[in-house]
Amino acid sequence: MEYRGIAVSRGVAIAPVYLYRPWTPQVEEALIELADAESALADYYAARQEAEAELEAICSRMEAEGEADKAKIFAAHREILFDDGLCEEVEDAIRDELYHPAYAVESVYAAAALMLSKSKDKLISERSVDIVDVKNRLLRCLLHEKACSLSELERPVVVVAHDLLPSDTATLDRKNVAGIVTEVGGVTSHSAIIAKSYGIPAVLGIPGILDALYDGEEVVLDALEGRLLTGVSPEETDAYRAKKEAFLAQQAVVSRFLDRPGLTKDGRSVKIGLNIGSAKAEETDRLCHVDYVGLFRTEFLYMGSDHLPTEEEQYEAYRTVLEAGEGKEIIIRTLDIGGDKTLPYMELPQEQNPFLGNRALRLCLANEALFQTQLRALLRAAVHGKLGIMFPMVASMEDIYRAKEALSKARDSLAADGVEAGEAKVGIMIEIPAVALIADAVAKEVDFVSVGTNDLCQYLTATDRLNSAVTAYYQSYHPAMFRLMGYAAEQMNAAGKEISVCGELGGDPLAAPALVGLGISKLSMNVSSVAAVKKVLSEHTMAEMAALSAAVRRAESAGQVESLLKEFAQE
Ligand code: PEP
Ligand code: MG
């Protein structure tokens, strides 16, 4: 059987399937007989022990992997599991009220979570998600449901899920995820971005695939062609093994370009940047391959935590990256939450069209305390390196004025507190067509812009970037994309201000020469694209790329653009 989807991260995987269906408990009111009370209590103790063993295993693994911060979260869960008050209440509910143990756990923990969530003290109210998390683990052990987590995989598997939320990927067991398949999501969804940055083959957008497969079923994931195959014969499997080897060998050739400078064939410099999502060494270690960090997606800092990161925590993370940069420019994007990205501990408004709603900069401007905390942390960290602060989802000059005002306010408040603040360049993302079309005015107000092609395409073609039903309409190669970026590049270059691309198109070896030809001489991407982009740029002159861009801008359809880009790559 063959299932077709969108190949978003290239590669081939041959492994059994792991169906990822996070379990959500549904506990009904249920009572037990008096005679069963002792054995019900024993069931509760056994489940608690099992949950404890799980938590300890996660903690030790995370510590061994140098993830001390995440280990702390699970250590706190262990404390909740053995909290005297909660344990006593559960025991009383079973012994005195004759509650079924599952019902006892559900009522006691849910009531505690509810009570905490109402606290005005944020630090306390944020604990309620942990209580719910512990409750669900305890219930799963009690009801003998199988654990389903991506952080504790026993062997290499192809993970098949409806969708992977950024919070699912925060603890992903990377060495055992051989491939990723989801029912929803497209090229620029966050599942795709994560898969790419980890170099995990991924095919997204296969509706109904969870029900079509069974756990442990052997599959071939051909993420070069966007196919998932089941029932593959041993001969065919061998052929796919060979395909996988050939791909890895080709990658090895490309990888020779990893440490070369970004240069066109005629020696013109193109700055190559890195997109990162954390301050972890595994990400910052890669800075040696590039000229700068073009995008630090700070939302992952927020999503990987169980509470709103404090100013101090953020300062430490930003400082770590800036110091790792050793003088290289580090562009840090302010919180880009909303749309598909949510925070478990922060209630976001329910909206009909979240991608057109109160997300990113809009949300920060509406939550002054949240924004000020981040801006203060950024300015403090700026002392330790060459920082660029970048605002996402900017639609108008008013947005820019307000964001800059907020930044001045943060600077003033640091001065009032006698805390040192560093210098930082200020820039915006071009993700909304309206702001691209006023690039001349924007250039007067900012030091730099960076084109977020993922959202730009979404807003320019009116296509939800996560909705696999409309993937065909999400045309990154639409000539309008290149016309618009060309206009913005002309305006920025004329004003002597920098323009870069940090969306997925910047790391696309087919599109990169056309972007450079438009006058964009900085491209930021996932580490997996760095070598391939450097290679393709080294094979063409600036004049050839400019001619390509001119042709692409004149094209009338995405199909024509794609042909032009492909022909160029073969030359
Ligand atoms: C973009 O929109 O192109 C971008 C880089 O931001 P994100 O993918 O995080 O929305
Ligand atoms: Mg974006």
Side-chain angles (χ1 to χ4, degrees):
M1 195 66 194
E2 175 179 322
Y3 304 91
R4 286 205 154 262
I6 312 151
V8 297
S9 175
R10 289 161 58 75
V12 177
I14 303 161
V17 159
Y18 179 84
L19 295 181
Y20 181 57
R21 295 184 205 260
W23 182 75
T24 40
Q26 312 235 307
V27 179
E28 312 247 309
E29 181 172 348
L31 298 180
I32 52 169
E33 298 293 329
L34 182 60
D36 296 332
E38 283 312 311
S39 78
L41 272 176
D43 287 348
Y44 163 58
Y45 296 138
R48 200 172 59 179
Q49 214 171 350
E50 195 180 327
E52 182 191 18
E54 282 185 13
L55 288 169
E56 277 177 354
I58 301 175
C59 271
S60 343
R61 191 165 52 75
M62 292 199 162
E63 269 159 11
E65 287 170 5
E67 303 259 21
D69 276 1
K70 288 195 184 125
K72 267 194 229 151
I73 301 175
F74 295 97
H77 283 196
R78 195 190 164 281
E79 277 169 32
I80 297 173
L81 190 65
F82 286 97
D83 177 270
D84 286 344
L86 290 171
C87 290
E88 221 169 277
E89 277 189 57
V90 172
E91 286 161 352
D92 288 351
I94 297 172
R95 197 183 297 117
D96 304 338
E97 316 276 338
L98 297 180
Y99 279 15
H100 184 281
Y103 181 49
V105 167
E106 175 68 34
S107 352
V108 169
Y109 276 72
L114 184 68
M115 198 181 76
L116 286 194
S117 70
K118 286 187 178 152
S119 167
K120 289 216 167 62
D121 182 337
K122 249 197 135 12
L123 275 178
I124 296 180
S125 67
E126 281 160 1
R127 295 273 75 79
S128 73
V129 276
D130 294 297
I131 297 203
V132 172
D133 209 328
V134 172
K135 169 180 77 84
N136 291 354
R137 183 180 297 277
L138 195 47
L139 285 172
R140 182 172 48 68
C141 294
L142 201 48
L143 301 172
H144 308 293
E145 288 289 334
K146 242 177 86 189
C148 192
S149 153
L150 298 180
S151 64
E152 309 159 68
L153 300 167
E154 281 164 9
R155 54 179 179 165
V157 288
V158 170
V159 171
V160 178
H162 175 67
D163 192 11
L164 289 185
L165 297 174
S167 51
D168 291 321
T169 52
T171 55
L172 192 81
D173 176 3
R174 288 205 260 154
K175 61 182 182 313
N176 279 323
V177 179
I180 293 175
V181 175
T182 62
E183 295 188 319
V184 299
V187 184
T188 56
S189 67
H190 284 274
S191 306
I193 291 169
I194 289 284
K196 246 190 190 173
S197 70
Y198 290 171
I200 300 173
V203 174
L204 309 188
I206 313 183
I209 193 67
L210 261 178
D211 289 330
L213 305 174
Y214 60 86
D215 238 336
E217 182 170 3
E218 287 291 334
V219 292
V220 170
L221 180 66
D222 180 355
L224 298 174
E225 308 284 344
R227 287 186 304 193
L228 176 73
L229 302 140
T230 58
V232 183
S233 69
E235 297 76 35
E236 277 177 304
T237 306
D238 282 345
Y240 276 104
R241 244 180 229 119
K243 189 172 181 176
K244 179 178 170 178
E245 292 311 317
F247 173 73
L248 293 176
Q250 184 204 343
Q251 290 290 90
V253 172
V254 171
S255 71
R256 286 189 212 134
F257 283 81
L258 188 61
D259 286 320
R260 301 201 190 164
L263 286 177
T264 64
K265 192 173 175 183
D266 52 333
R268 299 275 286 274
S269 164
V270 179
K271 294 258 177 294
I272 302 296
L274 195 64
N275 292 353
I276 60 171
S278 78
K280 283 192 215 143
E282 66 198 46
E283 296 220 54
T284 55
D285 283 353
R286 295 162 171 171
L287 262 157
C288 57
H289 309 306
V290 295
D291 302 302
Y292 72 115
V293 166
L295 172 64
F296 177 0
R297 289 183 163 96
T298 59
E299 57 273 17
F300 287 103
L301 208 69
Y302 289 70
M303 292 188 294
S305 166
D306 63 347
H307 59 273
L308 267 180
T310 61
E311 181 182 315
E312 209 51 39
E313 287 169 334
Q314 294 192 49
Y315 164 72
E316 283 302 330
Y318 306 150
R319 173 190 171 153
T320 304
V321 177
L322 281 157
E323 285 180 347
E326 294 178 342
K328 288 179 180 172
E329 181 185 28
I330 308 290
I331 297 178
I332 304 186
R333 176 171 78 181
T334 58
L335 183 59
D336 187 15
I337 210 79
D340 62 323
K341 293 177 267 187
T342 55
L343 300 177
Y345 47 81
M346 186 176 161
E347 206 165 324
L348 297 177
Q350 289 292 326
E351 297 175 305
Q352 288 268 335
N353 294 298
F355 273 113
L356 301 180
N358 213 358
R359 64 176 283 220
L361 179 64
R362 297 174 181 180
L363 201 88
C364 288
L365 289 172
N367 288 276
E368 201 184 351
L370 175 88
F371 203 22
Q372 285 297 312
T373 303
Q374 182 168 40
L375 295 176
R376 279 174 59 104
L378 283 166
L379 289 173
R380 282 174 58 196
V383 173
H384 305 282
K386 195 169 165 195
L387 175 66
I389 297 177
M390 180 161 72
F391 300 110
M393 184 84 182
V394 170
S396 64
M397 293 306 289
E398 287 77 10
D399 282 346
I400 300 178
Y401 300 143
R402 290 183 68 196
K404 285 176 69 174
E405 233 170 75
L407 192 60
S408 305
K409 188 171 172 193
R411 193 176 281 289
D412 291 346
S413 74
L414 286 171
D417 294 347
V419 179
E420 193 185 0
E423 288 309 311
K425 287 195 170 173
V426 176
I428 64 157
M429 291 194 73
I430 292 193
E431 293 169 297
I432 300 179
V435 87
L437 286 167
I438 54 165
D440 51 339
V442 169
K444 294 184 203 143
E445 276 301 316
V446 300
D447 299 314
F448 66 90
V449 300
S450 185
V451 187
T453 51
N454 309 339
D455 277 319
L456 186 64
C457 183
Q458 157 162 273
Y459 296 128
L460 191 58
T461 63
T463 311
D464 181 345
R465 66 192 258 197
L466 299 178
N467 183 347
S468 47
V470 289
T471 300
Y473 295 94
Y474 185 89
Q475 298 179 334
S476 305
Y477 292 161
H478 197 300
M481 287 284 287
F482 292 87
R483 292 186 193 186
L484 197 55
M485 287 190 282
Y487 171 76
E490 281 158 10
Q491 297 305 317
M492 295 305 291
N493 288 332
K497 299 282 174 78
E498 280 188 348
I499 176 164
S500 64
V501 169
C502 64
E504 294 305 292
L505 216 52
D508 173 356
L510 281 183
L515 298 175
V516 172
L518 288 177
I520 300 174
S521 53
K522 286 176 88 172
L523 301 175
S524 190
M525 60 202 72
N526 291 317
V527 69
S528 58
S529 302
V530 170
V533 168
K534 284 183 179 174
K535 180 170 184 286
V536 70
L537 295 180
S538 75
E539 289 162 352
H540 304 280
T541 65
M542 199 64 185
E544 287 165 353
M545 294 190 231
L548 170 69
S549 302
V552 162
R553 282 171 92 171
R554 280 194 305 271
E556 293 175 357
S557 69
Q560 279 179 17
V561 171
E562 187 170 353
S563 306
L564 284 165
L565 298 180
K566 283 188 170 160
E567 276 165 31
F568 186 79
Q570 319 269 288
E571 277 166 17

